[in-house]
Amino acid sequence: MLVLGIFSSLSWYVSQLMPDIFVGVLILSLANLIWQKNSRILQIWNSILVFLACAVHTSHIMLALLILVLMVFIFVLRQPFKKVIVKTSLLFVPVLVAILFIMGNQAANGHGFRLSRTSNLFLTGRLADAHLLQPFLYKECHTQKFPLCDYEMILPITLDEVLWDQKYSLPVQFGGWEKADSAVAPMVSYYFSKTKNKLDFAKAGLINGWKQLGRFQIGDGMTAQGWEDAPTVAIRWRIPRHIQAFINARQQTGNLNIHFFQLLQKPIFYVCTFFMAIFSLFLVQRMPEKAAFLGFLILGLILHAFVMGTFAVALDRYQARISWLIPLAALLVILITRKKHLIPKSSGKDWSGTFLPNWKLEATTLLNEIDAKLLLPPQNGNWIGNHCVRRDKSAVSTLWFQCQ
């Protein structure tokens, strides 16, 4: 954890009062549930983490469902469909419970049994940012009477302007977030009823997702927040006793210097990615389950980029909040290869899946302490002192392994 805290983005997002850190938690928990043979307690714990990660933000639900559906598809290619459904059905339970929890919470607070109160508004912002909204309105406003047709000439052209601009945002123009969402709902529904529009939206998402893959520098949020900006307004409203401490914070006064920390992130990310590529062949051949686990982390990072690219804008913050998964994967490779070397197969017995203890017998130590003649067992192995050793003739160099 110390290495990840210093040399990755993990410490930056753990320290923020935002749900961003739960994206990585979601991917790791799903990886454990799918690829690791856990005890019942660990399975329940990982399921709880998946539920919490999905419950804190609806974008996490989309990512979880996309990952699980893709896993089902991959498994179906190798196993009978019924067997796959039986094995994977429980994986969907924590995600579905999170959906019901959010919808129930909305209903309990008088907002209706729905997943989001502003989904149409956010989709409108994404259409504007992808330069799809204004051409659509220009074409359709001659025959359709959408409320946004009256704002066509002064319509914001980025997602941030649609949602957050203090003068021209849609919540300001329509008198509130829910009123703005209701105003754009018919237009959004009509837009996605057309196949061509769906394809245009998907194409824009793929392009934006590709951009998102390369943006993972930490530091979003370093700009001081104004008195009417969303974070400041929320603190003034919810916890007013802390507003003075927030105003005097180093981030707000421009005294939070993380330049050196920022310089470390991308080089370390690229080095770890290269390291993973070099060791991928070894992992696939010797430890396929471990390789699948690590590959799943990388798959989650890629899918996350395209989910955010499709439904949001390309920001460093989105990918940086899970870029620490790559250094983590590299550390796991080091730990696996150093502490759990596979014993190769030998005649008469399959040694695959058997692991050396942490105190591995080194050939140089044996040669210094034991008569060389004893190191040539006639078949599988021989007792050397208190240890049974066996020679691996298939390896490039002479290696010695503990017999079992």
Side-chain angles (χ1 to χ4, degrees):
M1 293 304 296
L2 179 62
V3 173
L4 288 176
I6 297 175
F7 297 106
S8 77
S9 63
L10 179 61
S11 58
W12 180 257
Y13 288 99
V14 166
S15 305
Q16 294 187 357
L17 294 175
M18 297 183 69
D20 287 353
I21 190 60
F22 283 95
V23 186
V25 172
L26 171 66
I27 296 173
L28 281 174
S29 300
L30 287 174
N32 278 322
L33 286 172
I34 294 173
W35 299 108
Q36 298 296 307
K37 295 180 179 179
N38 299 312
S39 65
R40 182 62 58 85
I41 294 177
L42 285 177
Q43 287 179 336
I44 294 173
W45 173 242
N46 281 300
S47 298
I48 292 174
L49 289 177
V50 171
F51 163 75
L52 290 175
C54 291
V56 296
H57 205 282
T58 52
S59 66
H60 302 176
I61 294 175
M62 291 187 288
L63 176 61
L65 290 176
L66 178 61
I67 290 174
L68 291 176
V69 170
L70 183 59
M71 286 296 100
V72 170
F73 177 76
I74 292 174
F75 291 152
V76 166
L77 296 178
R78 305 182 62 182
Q79 300 178 24
F81 180 76
K82 290 184 178 180
K83 185 177 180 180
V84 171
I85 294 301
V86 171
K87 284 186 175 181
T88 60
S89 57
L90 290 178
L91 297 174
F92 288 87
V93 171
V95 182
L96 297 177
V97 172
I99 293 173
L100 293 175
F101 173 81
I102 294 174
M103 298 176 72
N105 184 60
Q106 296 274 28
N109 287 277
H111 303 302
F113 194 70
R114 53 182 175 172
L115 194 59
S116 173
R117 290 181 286 161
T118 56
S119 57
N120 295 302
L121 190 55
F122 274 84
L123 284 172
T124 301
R126 177 65 190 120
L127 291 174
D129 205 89
H131 306 294
L132 298 172
L133 181 60
Q134 286 186 321
F136 169 76
L137 291 177
Y138 181 79
K139 177 182 178 181
E140 300 293 341
C141 282
H142 297 290
T143 57
Q144 303 291 330
K145 297 299 180 182
F146 301 123
L148 284 186
C149 292
D150 297 332
Y151 298 89
E152 182 181 352
M153 300 306 296
I154 59 171
L155 195 68
I157 59 174
T158 68
L159 186 143
D160 283 347
E161 290 176 351
V162 168
L163 300 178
W164 312 112
D165 190 90
Q166 297 181 15
K167 185 177 181 181
Y168 295 109
S169 69
L170 297 187
V172 171
Q173 295 188 45
F174 286 99
W177 283 78
E178 291 193 52
K179 290 182 179 179
D181 188 81
S182 298
V184 300
M187 181 208 69
V188 172
S189 178
Y190 181 82
Y191 180 90
F192 286 102
S193 67
K194 307 294 183 181
T195 302
K196 182 181 182 302
N197 294 341
K198 293 176 184 176
L199 294 176
D200 290 341
F201 184 78
K203 179 182 177 180
L206 290 175
I207 295 173
N208 206 38
W210 182 256
K211 295 178 182 178
Q212 182 67 73
L213 274 175
R215 299 192 59 173
F216 49 88
Q217 184 63 277
I218 66 168
D220 276 12
M222 291 293 293
T223 305
Q225 303 293 326
W227 188 252
E228 297 298 331
D229 287 339
T232 312
V233 171
I235 293 173
R236 286 162 49 199
W237 176 31
R238 298 290 188 180
I239 45 175
R241 65 183 181 277
H242 293 301
I243 187 63
Q244 194 59 47
F246 176 74
I247 293 174
N248 295 332
R250 293 170 65 188
Q251 174 182 330
Q252 288 291 100
T253 57
N255 294 319
L256 185 60
N257 186 359
I258 61 168
H259 182 64
F260 178 74
F261 191 47
Q262 289 176 313
L263 288 177
L264 291 175
Q265 302 307 305
K266 286 194 173 182
I268 290 175
F269 181 88
Y270 289 129
V271 168
C272 291
T273 303
F274 178 76
F275 177 81
M276 289 293 298
I278 293 297
F279 277 84
S280 60
L281 292 178
F282 168 80
L283 291 171
V284 170
Q285 294 174 358
R286 298 293 185 91
M287 292 171 278
E289 289 186 359
K290 303 296 182 183
F293 178 89
L294 298 175
F296 184 89
L297 300 184
I298 298 173
L299 175 66
L301 188 142
I302 294 173
L303 292 178
H304 173 265
F306 284 98
V307 167
M308 300 312 298
T310 301
F311 296 100
V313 295
L315 294 177
D316 283 294
R317 169 195 152 207
Y318 293 145
Q319 206 64 3
R321 63 189 181 182
I322 60 169
S323 63
W324 56 271
L325 290 176
I326 296 299
L328 173 63
L331 287 174
L332 290 176
V333 169
I334 294 174
L335 292 174
I336 291 170
T337 54
R338 285 182 62 86
K339 295 184 178 181
K340 293 185 177 181
H341 289 289
L342 281 172
I343 298 178
K345 294 181 179 180
S346 77
S347 59
K349 182 176 181 179
D350 185 2
W351 292 84
S352 62
T354 308
F355 298 92
L356 284 175
N358 292 338
W359 48 266
K360 301 182 298 290
L361 296 177
E362 300 289 346
T364 54
T365 304
L366 289 173
L367 290 173
N368 291 333
E369 297 180 357
I370 305 173
D371 189 338
K373 293 182 180 180
L374 295 176
L375 297 178
L376 297 174
Q379 295 180 355
N380 290 339
N382 229 342
W383 285 99
I384 307 299
N386 294 326
H387 304 291
C388 177
V389 295
R390 154 179 91 76
R391 186 169 187 172
D392 173 29
K393 298 181 180 180
S394 63
V396 176
S397 60
T398 301
L399 299 175
W400 296 86
F401 300 92
Q402 180 188 21
C403 297
Q404 295 194 359

